[in-house]
């Protein structure tokens, strides 16, 4: 997890950070840049055939860890992005793709060097780049996403009314992979009557063209206004009029609130699927793509293809955009009813910046990806208390000052750090250009380095 994420939360996530990862994640198998179970986007390839174990079935799990005691004590989980599916042009072959689980960490003693251990422990091979070749639309600084408060309780709708009122605001997203025969499938939300649409960035990664399918089966080629890889939010534009925009809710949700998810799971054949549940938790910090997202948790059924679709309250207002689900990577357990959605407060800020600038600015970062050091690894390799530097962003001042992968960050401005939350709290009130002093352990020596914070969008 990059330390700038918590700073970003303080500035444009309308949620409070509680200082650490939720207990229900720990001590799950780490992956990415933070030892939470990390989401996995579909493999970046086109075409293909259904997995050998049958369309729609879970792929065979990877091998178990040699750490038997851990396997007995915890359920090894992996969060996958409830993302677009990738299909062949022959829709009869469409199927759920196998999702590559995170690498199993082996016992520290199995490696001669701690860097080899951490290369396996923190697997950051899957990322949301935000890069694509979709034709660009003009920026629209005069267009804004606005929110409305929750109506009077007497105006609560039935699920049938929610479906009738909201289904016309939900679209199918077909993103074409260049030079291949396949495409990604997902969901989007109509934001304005003249064709601005909000969806997930991971649906569009590595693609070259996007087709939007409306509720009434009309199809339009879309252009990209902007894509943000940190928040996983993108804005598209189609040339259409008289569409039915969704209403976004500006009131914070609470645990126990009833909600419904509306989207296009598992392919075009299941377009317009409505599922319901409750808000199971708020302020869930889930790490992916070297960043941490503060998300809503829900037990409404969410599956691949739901990504980019609305999570609705009982007044038909959008309270979040579904983008992840949790699945087991173990043959001994299964997980049901743990899905996630980006809260409206985040959506509003990101979308409005994308409309104005085509990107999100004002997020300060050190430019390093860091993660906690497990106790057994610290003992096995005689490492000090601190945070392991998983990677350093090119173009950052940290890279220019010689911070490198394999360093251990032990303190910032003289304050010891052992969690990413502590780092975030330290820089929460700082801005791009401010300087911090990083205390680094390397090869048995400890030294200080003064590093200037950089703009997140310049290095990620």
């Amino acid at each position: 997890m990059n330390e700038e994420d918590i700073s970003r939360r303080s500035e444009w996530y309308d949620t409070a950070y509680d200082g650490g990862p939720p207990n229900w994640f720990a001590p799950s198998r780490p992956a990415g840049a933070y030892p939470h179970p990390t989401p996995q986007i579909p493999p970046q390839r086109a075409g293909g055939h259904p997995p050998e174990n049958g369309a729609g079935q879970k792929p065979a799990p990877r091998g178990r860890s040699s750490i038997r005691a851990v396997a007995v004590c915890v359920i090894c989980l992996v969060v996958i992005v409830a993302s677009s599916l990738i299909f062949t042009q022959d829709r009869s072959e469409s199927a759920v793709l196998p999702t590559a689980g995170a690498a199993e960490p082996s016992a520290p003693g199995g490696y001669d060097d701690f860097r080899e251990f951490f290369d396996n422990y923190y697997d950051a091979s899957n990322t949301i780049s935000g890069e694509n070749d979709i034709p660009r639309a003009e920026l629209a600084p005069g267009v804004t996403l606005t929110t409305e408060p929750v109506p009077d309780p007497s105006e609560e709708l039935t699920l049938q009314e929610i479906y009738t009122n909201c289904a016309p605001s939900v679209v199918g997203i077909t993103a074409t992979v260049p030079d291949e025969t396949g495409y990604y499938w997902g969901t989007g939300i109509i934001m304005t009557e003249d064709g601005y649409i909000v969806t997930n960035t991971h649906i569009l990664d590595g693609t070259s063209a996007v087709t939007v399918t409306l509720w009434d089966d009309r199809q339009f080629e879309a252009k990209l206004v902007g894509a943000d890889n940190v928040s996983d939010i993108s804005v598209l534009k189609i040339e259409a009029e008289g569409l039915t925009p969704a209403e976004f809710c500006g009131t914070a949700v609470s645990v126990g609130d009833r909600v419904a998810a509306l989207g296009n799971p598992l392919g075009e054949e299941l377009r317009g699927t409505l599922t319901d549940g409750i808000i199971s938790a708020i302020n869930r910090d889930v790490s992916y793509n070297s960043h941490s997202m503060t998300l809503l948790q829900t037990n409404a059924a969410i599956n691949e293809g739901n990504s980019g679709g609305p999570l609705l309250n009982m007044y038909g207002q959008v309270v979040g955009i579904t983008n992840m689900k949790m699945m087991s990577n173990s043959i001994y357990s299964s997980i049901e009813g743990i899905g996630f959605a980006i809260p409206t407060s985040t959506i509003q800020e990101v979308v409005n910046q994308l409309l104005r600038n085509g990107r999100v600015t004002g997020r300060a970062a050190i430019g390093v990806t860091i993660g906690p050091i497990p106790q057994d690894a610290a003992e096995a390799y005689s490492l000090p208390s601190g945070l392991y530097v998983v990677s350093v962003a090119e173009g950052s001042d940290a890279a220019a000052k010689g911070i490198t992968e394999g360093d251990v960050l032990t303190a910032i401005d003289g304050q010891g750090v052992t969690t990413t939350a502590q780092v975030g709290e330290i820089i929460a009130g700082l801005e791009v250009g401010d300087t911090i002093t990083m205390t680094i352990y390397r090869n048995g020596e400890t030294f200080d380095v003064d590093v200037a914070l950089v703009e997140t969008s310049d290095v990620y």
Side-chain angles (χ1 to χ4, degrees), residues 182-309:
Y183 60 94
Y184 294 122
W185 172 262
T187 306
I189 307 170
I190 296 173
M191 181 186 129
T192 66
E193 61 86 23
D194 61 344
Y196 285 95
I197 293 167
V198 184
T199 190
N200 283 147
T201 299
H202 72 258
I203 301 173
L204 311 177
D205 251 18
T207 63
S208 60
V210 176
T211 299
V212 171
T213 303
L214 301 183
W215 174 251
D216 59 8
D217 292 330
R218 286 184 295 161
Q219 293 188 331
F220 295 84
E221 293 301 310
K223 292 184 178 181
L224 179 70
V225 178
D228 183 53
N229 66 321
V230 174
S231 64
D232 195 20
I233 294 173
S234 290
V235 177
L236 300 170
K237 177 67 169 70
I238 62 173
E239 296 303 319
E241 298 290 340
L243 304 181
T244 303
E247 182 175 293
F248 290 78
C249 180
T251 304
V253 296
S254 299
V255 174
D257 287 351
R258 294 180 62 200
V259 289
L262 184 53
N264 308 311
L266 306 183
E268 186 174 8
E269 291 78 6
L270 299 179
R271 277 174 53 202
T273 293
L274 180 74
T275 57
D276 72 313
I278 62 169
I279 295 293
S280 304
I282 58 176
N283 303 339
R284 289 303 199 200
D285 296 305
V286 181
S287 180
Y288 182 72
N289 196 43
S290 300
H291 303 285
S292 182
M293 303 177 186
T294 299
L295 305 174
L296 304 174
Q297 181 184 329
T298 179
N299 67 341
I302 294 172
N303 291 285
E304 291 86 351
N306 273 106
S307 278

Side-chain angles (χ1 to χ4, degrees), residues 112-152:
D112 294 331
D113 188 279
F114 71 89
R115 295 173 185 83
E116 296 179 4
F117 166 76
F118 281 106
D119 283 344
N120 189 47
Y121 192 79
Y122 288 117
D123 177 10
S125 59
N126 289 293
T127 61
I128 304 173
S129 70
E131 298 178 358
N132 58 67
D133 295 321
I134 301 168
R136 266 37 179 183
E138 294 183 1
L139 298 180
V143 180
T144 58
L145 188 155
T146 59
T147 60
E148 300 294 334
V150 171
D152 186 274

Side-chain angles (χ1 to χ4, degrees), residues 13-53:
Y13 276 99
D14 187 24
T15 54
Y17 183 65
D18 61 7
N23 291 334
W24 57 278
F25 274 151
S28 300
R29 182 174 61 239
Y34 194 43
H36 291 217
T38 29
Q40 303 283 335
I41 60 173
Q44 294 300 299
R45 59 182 175 82
H49 298 282
E52 293 181 0
N53 56 342

